Amino acid sequence: MALRTLLSRRTLAAAVRPQLGSTLGLRSLVTFSLPDLPYDYGALEPVISGEIMELHHQKHHQAYITNYNKALEQLELAMSKGDASSIVKLQGALKFNGGGHVNHSIFWKNLAPVREGGGEPPKGSLGWAIDTDFGSLETLISRMSTEGAALQGSGWVWLGVDKDLKKLVVETTVNQDPLVTKGANLVPLIGIDVWEHAYYLQYKNVRPDYLKNIWKVISWKYASDLYEKECPVH
Amino acid sequence: MGSTCFHTSAAPSSCLLSSTKRSYGLHDLKVGELGQLKVPISRTRKVSKVLAFYGLRSPPYKLDALEPHMSNRTLEMHWGELHRGYVEGLNKQLERNDILYGYTMDELIKATYNNGNPFPEFNNAAQVWNHNFFWDSMHPRGGNMPTLGLLDQIEKDFGSFTNFKEKFVDASLSLFGSGWVWLVLRKREKRLEVVKTCNAINPIVWDDIPIINLDMWEHAYYFDYKNDRAAYVKNFLDHLVSWDVATARIIRAEAFVNLGEPKIPIA
């Protein structure tokens, strides 16, 4: 992965044309690449099929990354030319593809095979916070599943923490909007993809079944660690 | 929208349920748009709930007729489950809200769109309309090119048919999330345009006249093409789109939009 970034077109160009480097600063465009999954494609069966995981990771997430990199290159070009209207025009593609990359990277960390802790309820401070803010884990799960099922079209359902107010929130976003679009202080802990590509091949159009089952492979470890970092117990 | 039915197997599969014991004769019933049966509320004698239903209309071809470009499995799921689900959802919602009785489908969509702040019924109503329009926009031996007046209008408004196809493909591939792509006749500008809308939104809410549409929700193509949207759109344009139906639609649209100079005879 690192090698690929090193040999990306832009860094080579910067190496070959030092005079350009001096005008632009010695900055080369940081591009993104597909993160590996910490488990096999089939490891989440029967909750999420291997076919879906492979397509979701290798085709959808990769497409977001490819288009994001393309948009970033176009943005850099527009910025260097001072082309204000192009810069603004690119924001849609940046938000969509960049959001897609950010969201899916979180999603892979939110999932884990059952033998690696998937489905185990959260312990520690996150467990307490859930009980305080929602009453019980079951209530939280039921609320997120309901909001995810009610979302029209494509989007995500989130459990986030407001790092200023130190409160947990449940939110939905449309398309690939990251959670920060709902509040600058919101940090995403758990995100569930409710785009049709995330479940259609297996659950057909019964999104509620997908949402009911996915909790069996949700890993609360990433969420707990992040929560403890954002809301440290003194 | 007069979806002039070109199909021979007209099966207006709408059912009528009433909790009164009175049975309605055919003369009591009005046939609304799209073949559904509506019951005028004023005809009820007893004070009991009358339920009027919209029906699920079949596509004008068998479910496997669009193979290999759109599989039987896709149509069974897309029409049989999803489209049916929208119809049933809409009927359930209308049960609870009799302010919306008596509307035609077009009026219902415009009313529930509420100028951009849609009511919950909008999604179901618009999706029922959109999918009916979609099935009609396709044909087993579709594709090729439009002819005569429609081709002239396309060439006038897009430059060439190839240019139109490019714009249509671009719009489809640049649509973020779920939505539809339309070839629409703009009423005020009096020209054809390619328009993309998100989720269930439909150009009739802006008083424009749709000519063809393409479903870009993932459920429309995922079984057959996975995430290869480009192949899906190309196959739609090359093999499925029914220019005959589009021609009929634009002919009807000319009753509402003046596309050329009117030929006023000089006395």
Side-chain angles (χ1 to χ4, degrees):
Chain A
M1 299 288 152
L3 201 61
R4 211 188 305 164
T5 321
L6 208 58
L7 293 177
S8 80
R9 206 165 14 99
R10 293 292 304 192
T11 50
L12 274 178
V16 163
R17 289 175 298 177
Q19 68 270 27
L20 205 61
S22 58
T23 37
L24 285 178
L26 288 166
R27 170 179 58 113
S28 58
L29 182 67
V30 176
T31 52
F32 297 89
S33 51
L34 189 65
D36 284 330
L37 289 188
Y39 37 79
D40 287 333
Y41 289 133
L44 302 180
E45 300 252 8
V47 175
I48 303 181
S49 70
E51 190 191 10
I52 289 187
M53 289 303 293
E54 191 174 348
L55 278 166
H56 205 171
H57 183 242
Q58 280 188 3
K59 294 274 154 87
H60 290 276
H61 191 177
Q62 179 63 70
Y64 288 126
I65 290 176
T66 310
N67 291 329
Y68 188 41
N69 289 338
K70 227 186 312 182
L72 285 172
E73 283 178 12
Q74 290 172 333
L75 176 70
E76 207 193 24
L77 188 60
M79 280 167 64
S80 68
K81 287 198 298 194
D83 185 352
S85 53
S86 291
I87 294 175
V88 175
K89 204 167 80 145
L90 283 167
Q91 298 308 311
L94 286 169
K95 182 163 101 159
F96 182 67
N97 293 301
H101 171 51
V102 164
N103 294 339
H104 284 88
S105 303
I106 299 174
F107 190 47
W108 307 137
K109 295 204 204 86
N110 284 148
L111 298 170
V114 176
R115 66 170 180 277
E116 283 171 38
E120 267 178 37
K123 307 178 188 44
S125 57
L126 179 58
W128 285 112
I130 288 178
D131 286 342
T132 314
D133 288 340
F134 297 101
S136 67
L137 182 62
E138 285 72 37
T139 317
L140 169 65
I141 286 180
S142 144
R143 168 128 175 245
M144 282 182 76
S145 301
T146 313
E147 297 213 5
L151 195 151
Q152 279 169 14
S154 312
W156 289 73
V157 59
W158 301 95
L159 170 68
V161 61
D162 186 322
K163 60 182 179 208
D164 278 354
L165 300 177
K166 305 281 191 253
K167 258 185 78 69
L168 291 172
V169 296
V170 168
E171 277 287 356
T172 55
T173 55
V174 295
N175 293 349
Q176 292 296 351
D177 292 359
L179 183 59
V180 289
T181 56
K182 283 286 170 100
N185 295 321
L186 297 181
V187 175
L189 299 174
I190 302 252
I192 301 184
D193 191 350
V194 291
W195 281 61
E196 282 171 331
H197 64 237
Y199 61 88
Y200 202 68
L201 288 178
Q202 188 178 348
Y203 292 91
K204 314 292 187 294
N205 66 320
V206 193
R207 196 193 276 175
D209 277 359
Y210 160 69
L211 287 167
K212 199 170 65 159
N213 282 317
I214 198 174
W215 295 102
K216 299 181 190 152
V217 288
I218 290 278
S219 156
W220 289 94
K221 187 171 180 326
Y222 167 76
S224 297
D225 292 347
L226 188 52
Y227 181 77
E228 272 159 31
K229 192 171 79 123
E230 293 292 340
C231 305
V233 180
H234 297 292
Chain B
M1 168 227 148
S3 61
T4 29
C5 306
F6 274 53
H7 58 266
T8 48
S9 60
S13 52
S14 59
C15 49
L16 197 61
L17 270 180
S18 167
S19 50
T20 69
K21 297 234 177 1
R22 182 186 165 193
S23 63
Y24 291 92
L26 272 177
H27 59 273
D28 281 352
L29 305 170
K30 280 208 289 264
V31 178
E33 292 213 336
L34 308 178
Q36 84 278 15
L37 299 171
K38 295 190 302 178
V39 178
I41 298 175
S42 54
R43 297 296 189 98
T44 54
R45 257 190 283 152
K46 287 191 185 168
V47 178
S48 47
K49 217 162 68 138
V50 174
L51 307 169
F53 280 76
Y54 284 93
L56 177 67
R57 205 182 74 195
S58 334
Y61 34 77
K62 287 221 185 75
L63 295 186
D64 59 4
L66 299 181
E67 297 258 10
H69 314 292
M70 195 177 276
S71 64
N72 183 31
R73 184 176 173 221
T74 296
L75 274 165
E76 271 178 4
M77 183 60 53
H78 199 177
W79 173 79
E81 308 258 340
L82 274 164
H83 190 184
R84 190 187 302 276
Y86 287 126
V87 172
E88 288 173 359
L90 177 63
N91 287 335
K92 267 215 213 46
Q93 283 173 322
L94 291 182
E95 259 177 41
R96 302 194 284 262
N97 188 349
D98 53 20
I99 266 179
L100 294 173
Y101 280 172
Y103 279 100
T104 62
M105 186 60 100
D106 280 27
E107 292 168 352
L108 182 65
I109 291 175
K110 288 188 213 175
T112 50
Y113 182 63
N114 195 25
N115 283 311
N117 269 315
F119 298 132
E121 293 84 354
F122 173 75
N123 194 55
N124 282 328
Q127 283 293 71
V128 172
W129 196 104
N130 293 341
H131 282 90
N132 277 323
F133 195 84
F134 183 45
W135 307 134
D136 284 345
S137 301
M138 294 192 288
H139 192 271
R141 284 173 302 283
N144 288 320
M145 281 181 61
T147 52
L148 304 174
L150 178 56
L151 183 58
D152 287 342
Q153 190 66 35
I154 288 181
E155 284 176 348
K156 175 159 165 260
D157 293 329
F158 292 99
S160 69
F161 182 64
T162 318
N163 208 11
F164 152 72
K165 281 220 285 197
E166 243 181 63
K167 277 224 156 53
F168 196 85
V169 171
D170 275 346
S172 314
L173 298 180
S174 66
L175 198 159
F176 291 154
S178 309
W180 297 77
V181 182
W182 307 79
L183 170 65
V184 76
L185 180 63
R186 307 299 299 270
K187 237 194 198 161
R188 269 166 295 270
E189 293 87 340
K190 299 197 211 312
R191 47 179 289 121
L192 288 172
E193 274 180 27
V194 167
V195 157
K196 50 188 179 183
T197 59
C198 83
N199 288 358
I201 295 180
N202 180 317
I204 67 172
V205 304
W206 303 303
D207 257 344
D208 290 330
I209 304 174
I211 306 293
I212 55 169
N213 74 349
L214 175 59
D215 192 350
M216 289 308 294
W217 284 62
E218 285 177 321
H219 63 237
Y221 58 85
Y222 212 72
F223 281 151
D224 300 331
Y225 298 93
K226 306 292 187 298
N227 80 320
D228 191 358
R229 297 160 71 129
Y232 166 62
V233 181
K234 187 169 180 310
N235 272 333
F236 171 78
L237 285 173
D238 289 343
H239 301 286
L240 291 176
V241 64
S242 171
W243 290 114
D244 291 338
V245 168
T247 307
R249 287 169 176 160
I250 199 170
I251 289 175
R252 184 180 179 275
E254 293 197 55
F256 300 91
V257 180
N258 208 349
L259 280 180
E261 287 307 312
K263 290 199 181 67
I264 303 173
I266 305 172

